[in-house]
Amino acid sequence: MSGEQQADRGALALMGLVVLTWGMSWVVMKAMTVYIGPVDLIAARYAVAFVFLWLVLRLKGGHLRPTPWKLSLGVAIFQTTGFQLLSQFSLQAGGAGKMVALAYTMPIWILLLSWPMLGQRPQKRHVMGMVPAILGLMLLIAPWEGIGGILGSVLATLSGVSWALGAVFSKQLFERHRVELLNAT
């Protein structure tokens, strides 16, 4: 096996690990709702992440520098705070599997929000990709069998919308300004 094939297999294995870990994190977050409130859990996660990323930034010789505040505030409100709070509250109100599926409608919302906010009109290939995604989501959620707790479903869907808004603001931030990724994170 060539070095390139080994690298491809390693990358594929790492990607699989990320998918597994990320998917399991929702189950863990759902289980944590019994022990800790959503705001406290999010605050603890972000405190640990901030310390870790700050240490990495310092080890790389970087410094915390302010990023353009308006777009950074949009990312902070929607992608970080809104998405996390809405998804965590949705986990309190509903099952993890359904809440994840609704939160991950984010690409659909990005497609819809990119047109008015970025001037990126959806192309035929985007629409053709979204149609089976929406149909698959409908089959997965099966609303004809009863939605169950509507609050969790609404919160999870709003978390996907919030995440999409934050992603659009993030794209604007990186397109319009020279921003260091680790510093912005």
Side-chain angles (χ1 to χ4, degrees), residues 129-141:
M130 283 301 148
V131 168
I134 292 169
L135 289 174
L137 181 65
M138 294 300 287
L139 289 173
L140 182 67
I141 295 171

Side-chain angles (χ1 to χ4, degrees), residues 6-45:
Q6 286 179 338
D8 287 348
R9 278 189 153 171
L12 192 58
L14 286 174
M15 189 167 63
L17 181 63
V18 167
V19 168
L20 182 64
T21 305
W22 206 342
M24 286 303 297
S25 72
W26 286 83
V27 175
V28 171
M29 288 188 297
K30 170 70 175 172
M32 293 296 295
T33 61
V34 176
Y35 304 105
I36 187 171
V39 176
D40 294 333
L41 179 60
I42 293 165
R45 288 173 47 212

Side-chain angles (χ1 to χ4, degrees), residues 33-170:
T33 61
V34 176
Y35 304 105
I36 187 171
V39 176
D40 294 333
L41 179 60
I42 293 165
R45 288 173 47 212
Y46 277 107
V48 170
F50 174 80
V51 170
F52 177 78
L53 289 175
W54 180 77
L55 288 172
V56 170
L57 184 68
R58 294 298 295 155
L59 289 171
K60 290 182 77 175
H63 300 282
L64 283 176
R65 289 187 182 87
T67 56
W69 74 272
K70 287 181 183 178
L71 290 172
S72 296
L73 184 62
V75 173
I77 288 171
F78 294 106
Q79 188 165 341
T80 305
T81 308
F83 169 68
Q84 290 296 326
L85 285 173
L86 290 164
S87 61
Q88 197 63 44
F89 279 113
S90 78
L91 285 171
Q92 280 190 318
K98 184 175 180 181
M99 297 310 109
V100 171
L102 291 170
Y104 279 77
T105 58
M106 179 269 279
I108 297 167
W109 303 114
I110 283 182
L111 184 68
L112 297 174
L113 293 169
S114 292
W115 193 353
M117 293 178 71
L118 299 173
Q120 296 177 345
R121 186 179 182 150
Q123 297 175 5
K124 184 178 179 181
R125 64 186 171 98
H126 296 129
V127 175
M128 288 177 64
M130 283 301 148
V131 168
I134 292 169
L135 289 174
L137 181 65
M138 294 300 287
L139 289 173
L140 182 67
I141 295 171
W144 53 87
E145 292 181 9
I147 292 186
I150 191 77
L151 178 62
S153 297
V154 169
L155 291 172
T157 303
L158 289 175
S159 76
V161 173
S162 187
W163 186 7
L165 272 167
V168 170
F169 282 125
S170 183

